[in-house]
Amino acid sequence: MAISILYAYWRGGHRRAEKAAVYYTVFAIGFFMLSIIMWAVGAAILNEQKRHGNGKDLWGWACKDGKRKEVFAQEVDYALVCRMQ
């Protein structure tokens, strides 16, 4: 995107480049804010799934007793994985 500022210098001089720099800055700040909002939405969805998913979320399998826990007890420390989530 900063290449567009250099291109604006080449095509229109300092005034056009300053205008392009303002647009670039607004775009960068807007994209940053959008990404923060998307991370917050994703974290909220994961948290709600964990709270109301009855162990069917991404890591809930570690806290449930079942066949998987019996089979992989030697390879996976289920208490540690459950505690770390």
Side-chain angles (χ1 to χ4, degrees), residues 44-73:
I45 289 171
L46 280 173
N47 197 14
E48 284 301 310
Q49 282 291 344
K50 182 178 177 184
R51 187 175 304 151
H52 301 295
N54 292 330
K56 294 182 181 175
D57 62 301
L58 185 62
W59 296 106
W61 55 268
C63 298
K64 294 184 88 173
D65 292 329
K67 184 76 172 166
R68 178 182 294 158
K69 198 168 191 176
E70 295 170 12
V71 172
F72 295 105

Side-chain angles (χ1 to χ4, degrees), residues 13-38:
H14 181 72
R15 183 167 298 188
R16 188 168 184 173
E18 287 291 322
K19 195 177 203 181
V22 169
Y23 289 136
Y24 173 72
T25 302
V26 169
F27 174 78
I29 291 171
F31 185 78
F32 176 73
M33 297 300 272
L34 179 68
S35 63
I36 293 293
I37 290 168
M38 294 303 292

